[in-house]
């Protein structure tokens, strides 16, 4: 049996994970308390489906008994990723089907002890960075419900931020695992393309899609990403991958910050000042090539991959006037993407390669790059007034990451700043990376970092040292910015 549920959590519980809040209770009481809390909430937009209480209780008890790095951790999964026995709809009722098996990324986490609670809402077909493009309703910010959650992994981020889940699976093509992490003040990790399997994931742009992890803190996110990396994708790790940044890293930062809200700009500059205080060498670079690539993701022919993924369904639904299941903005974007030719797509891919070559030349000799994750935090009303332009602005500093084959980690650096730190090296670009973001309910920004990390053995992620303090660091991993 599948149930649809709503979520609201009292403000005094925000930020405390399920395991932390309930550490003194028995396994059965943990699940019962969790469901009782969910029953008391008023956030129907967070979940698409919940598993029956009895099934979660059984799996949780088995997880505790068996042990494992994620034993007893409550997991929620973005509804474009298969969970056995639940519909995978990508937030489009009528599109999906009941998943016969877990996606490899989900199976890797449950094998490590995570317990699936249910599936979460998203910007339909993972097309958006705002969290409002869903027939299940706009996912509201965890602290200020008149503001957006960020997307497209909106329900996953808010579930973690409100303490309804310990860890969450998201996906990321243009920033969908990093933007909501930033706006919700949690950790978001996006590996390199191809490092984690995307089998069992409804594609957005298949060439650039990644499965991501969201969690409240770096240690939990790190453990979850280490486990999920067992679901290896098609790309091997290079044998000569460096395992750590130098003791005194050289970080690249943007010389200009277009599209940034004024207060967020100031907060970002404060974060860079903390980098200098840590003894890092900070080098300003032009970011024109990064931003030019970012614009291509939606404004050029690369968006044709979204039509390839679900365009026929969207066009048929529009022609049959079955528009109730479609978000109008998403339907317009995907249907229009069918206009591009193969020649257009090849030309834009060639342009991305040219821009990447030029951009990477600017960070040559740098160990990391620090950029904002999100340039501002709009209200739901602001998005409704101009959904396309607002969404485009949200992706200013995230869209280029997958196009340039970078990994990223978004981690809390300060309650009032959002930046991205990334590390680059001359070795193969297929290493995994992460992005980090943090923001508070009333202050601008957060910070994010992107890294490349090798496995400690086949498909295993090594431990890294990232401080969730007022400064973001990358002391024990390989980093790349986005």
């Amino acid at each position: 049996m599948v149930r649809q549920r709503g979520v609201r959590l009292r403000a005094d519980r925000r930020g405390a994970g399920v395991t932390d809040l309930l550490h003194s209770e028995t396994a059965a009481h943990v699940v019962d308390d969790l469901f009782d809390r969910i029953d008391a909430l008023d956030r129907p937009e967070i979940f698409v489906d919940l598993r029956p209480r009895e099934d979660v209780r059984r799996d949780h008890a088995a997880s505790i008994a068996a042990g494992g790095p994620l034993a007893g951790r409550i997991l929620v999964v973005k509804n474009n990723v298969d969970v056995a026995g639940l519909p995978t709809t990508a937030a489009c009722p009528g599109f999906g089907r009941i998943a016969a098996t877990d996606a490899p990324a989900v199976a890797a986490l449950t094998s490590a002890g995570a317990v699936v609670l249910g599936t979460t809402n998203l910007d339909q077909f993972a097309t958006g960075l705002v969290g409002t493009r869903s027939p299940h309703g706009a996912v509201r910010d965890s602290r200020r419900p008149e503001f957006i959650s960020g997307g497209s992994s909106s329900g996953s981020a808010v579930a973690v931020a409100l303490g309804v889940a310990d860890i969450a699976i998201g996906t990321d093509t243009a920033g969908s695992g990093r933007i909501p992490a930033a706006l919700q003040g949690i950790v978001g990790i996006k590996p390199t393309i191809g490092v984690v399997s995307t089998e069992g994931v409804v594609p957005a742009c298949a060439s650039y899609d990644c499965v991501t992890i969201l969690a409240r803190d770096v240690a939990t996110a790190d453990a979850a990403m280490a486990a999920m990396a067992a679901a290896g994708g098609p790309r091997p790790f290079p044998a000569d991958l460096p395992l750590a940044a130098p003791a005194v890293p050289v970080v690249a930062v943007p010389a200009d910050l277009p599209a940034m809200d004024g207060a967020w700009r100031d907060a970002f500059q404060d974060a860079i000042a903390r980098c200098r205080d840590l003894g890092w060498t900070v080098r300003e670079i032009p970011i024109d090539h990064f931003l030019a690539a970012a614009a291509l993701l939606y404004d050029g022919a690369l968006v044709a991959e979204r039509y390839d993924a679900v365009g026929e369904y969207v066009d048929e639904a529009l022609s049959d006037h079955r528009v109730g299941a479609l978000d109008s903005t998403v339907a317009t974007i995907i249907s229009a993407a069918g206009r591009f030719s193969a020649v257009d797509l090849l030309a834009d891919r060639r342009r991305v390669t040219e821009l990447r070559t030029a951009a990477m030349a600017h960070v040559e000799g740098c160990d990391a790059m620090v950029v904002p994750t999100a340039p501002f935090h709009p209200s739901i009303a602001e998005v409704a007034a101009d959904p396309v332009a607002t969404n485009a602005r949200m992706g200013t500093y995230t869209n280029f990451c997958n196009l340039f084959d970078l990994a990223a980690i978004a981690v809390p650096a300060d309650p009032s700043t959002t930046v991205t730190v990334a590390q680059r090296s001359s070795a193969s670009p297929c290493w995994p990376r992460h992005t980090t973001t943090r923001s508070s309910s009333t202050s601008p920004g957060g910070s994010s970092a992107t890294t490349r990390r090798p496995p400690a053995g086949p498909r295993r992620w090594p431990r890294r040292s990232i401080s969730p303090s007022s400064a973001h660091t990358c002391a024990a991993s390989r980093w790349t910015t986005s």
Side-chain angles (χ1 to χ4, degrees):
M1 180 180 70
V2 173
R3 300 186 299 163
Q4 290 194 3
R5 305 299 298 273
V7 181
R8 181 188 59 161
L9 198 60
R10 295 191 301 274
D12 60 347
R13 290 220 170 184
R14 188 195 178 277
V18 177
T19 303
D20 294 332
L21 285 173
L22 308 171
H23 65 277
S24 63
E25 303 185 40
T26 67
H29 288 163
V30 168
V31 174
D32 287 339
D33 184 82
L34 173 61
F35 273 85
D36 289 345
R37 289 164 59 200
I38 291 173
D39 284 337
L41 302 176
D42 187 22
R43 288 294 189 104
E45 77 274 17
I46 293 178
F47 285 104
V48 174
D49 290 298
L50 286 179
R51 298 177 64 217
R53 181 190 297 237
E54 297 76 16
D55 292 353
V56 178
R57 185 191 292 125
R58 179 198 65 227
D59 289 353
H60 189 267
S63 169
I64 295 297
L70 301 178
R73 293 288 186 179
I74 298 298
L75 167 68
V76 296
V77 181
K78 189 175 180 179
N79 189 242
N80 62 339
V81 181
D82 283 352
V83 173
L86 297 183
T88 305
T89 69
C92 183
F95 168 79
R97 75 279 186 287
I98 303 295
T101 60
D102 289 337
V106 176
L109 292 176
T110 57
S111 294
V115 178
V116 176
L117 175 63
T119 60
T120 55
N121 198 6
L122 63 146
D123 282 315
Q124 193 171 74
F125 296 123
T127 301
L129 295 172
V130 289
T132 64
R133 300 173 174 180
S134 170
H136 301 294
V139 179
R140 296 167 286 170
D141 180 73
S142 58
R143 297 146 297 196
R144 299 177 295 167
E146 71 274 19
F147 283 78
I148 66 167
S149 58
S152 61
S153 305
S154 49
S156 288
V158 172
V160 170
L162 289 177
V164 176
D166 294 303
I167 54 179
I169 284 180
T171 60
D172 191 310
T173 305
S176 289
R178 293 163 283 152
I179 293 291
L183 299 188
Q184 299 311 307
I186 62 175
V187 175
I189 297 177
K190 187 208 77 65
T192 299
I193 297 168
V195 169
V196 175
S197 171
T198 55
E199 180 184 348
V201 178
V202 178
C205 289
S207 297
Y208 305 112
D209 293 342
C210 295
V211 183
T212 69
I213 287 291
L214 299 100
R216 273 191 317 118
D217 55 65
V218 170
T220 304
D222 192 43
M225 180 53 73
M228 194 168 72
R235 300 182 70 176
F237 288 95
D240 61 346
L241 179 62
L243 299 182
V248 181
V250 178
V251 297
V253 301
D256 298 302
L257 295 170
M260 288 289 287
D261 173 87
W264 288 50
R265 179 189 299 269
D266 293 343
F268 177 78
Q269 298 296 354
D270 289 343
I272 299 307
R274 289 195 299 276
C275 292
R276 292 189 173 96
D277 291 342
L278 288 170
W280 300 1
T281 300
V282 175
R283 179 191 301 173
E284 290 191 354
I285 65 165
I287 59 166
D288 307 55
H289 297 104
F290 294 91
L291 300 182
L296 284 175
L297 194 55
Y298 278 100
D299 295 343
L302 301 179
V303 75
E305 287 206 44
R306 294 187 184 265
Y307 188 87
D308 178 62
V310 294
E312 287 188 11
Y313 173 85
V314 170
D315 283 350
E316 288 176 6
L318 291 172
S319 64
D320 294 343
H321 303 289
R322 291 183 280 120
V323 294
L326 294 175
D327 177 87
S328 60
T329 302
V330 171
T332 299
I333 291 169
I334 292 176
S335 184
R339 72 187 185 276
F340 292 104
S341 69
V343 172
D344 296 330
L345 181 58
L346 290 171
D348 276 1
R349 285 182 172 172
R350 183 168 59 251
R351 178 60 176 154
V352 167
T353 299
E354 294 168 352
L355 289 169
R356 184 182 189 278
T357 299
M360 292 301 101
H362 291 305
V363 296
E364 189 65 39
C366 295
D367 302 294
M369 179 179 174
V370 183
V371 301
T373 302
F376 75 131
H377 192 166
S379 68
I380 292 174
E382 287 175 302
V383 172
D386 196 349
V388 174
T390 306
N391 188 89
R393 183 181 172 191
M394 290 298 296
T396 301
Y397 297 98
T398 58
N399 282 6
F400 61 78
C401 184
N402 284 351
L403 296 181
F404 285 177
D405 201 21
L406 306 177
I409 178 169
V411 300
D414 180 80
S416 63
T417 356
T418 301
V419 303
T420 300
V421 181
Q423 181 178 10
R424 179 179 181 277
S425 102
S426 58
S428 167
C430 67
W431 312 330
R433 298 176 302 154
H434 314 16
T435 307
T436 311
T437 308
R438 167 72 181 223
S439 78
S440 73
S441 58
T442 57
S443 301
S447 69
S448 38
T450 62
T451 66
R452 305 184 181 204
R453 303 207 310 150
R459 297 283 176 200
R460 298 296 300 174
W461 291 70
R463 288 289 169 188
R464 75 181 187 287
S465 173
I466 306 172
S467 169
S469 66
S470 60
H472 39 276
T473 65
C474 49
S477 25
R478 202 62 192 172
W479 296 79
T480 307
T481 339
S482 121

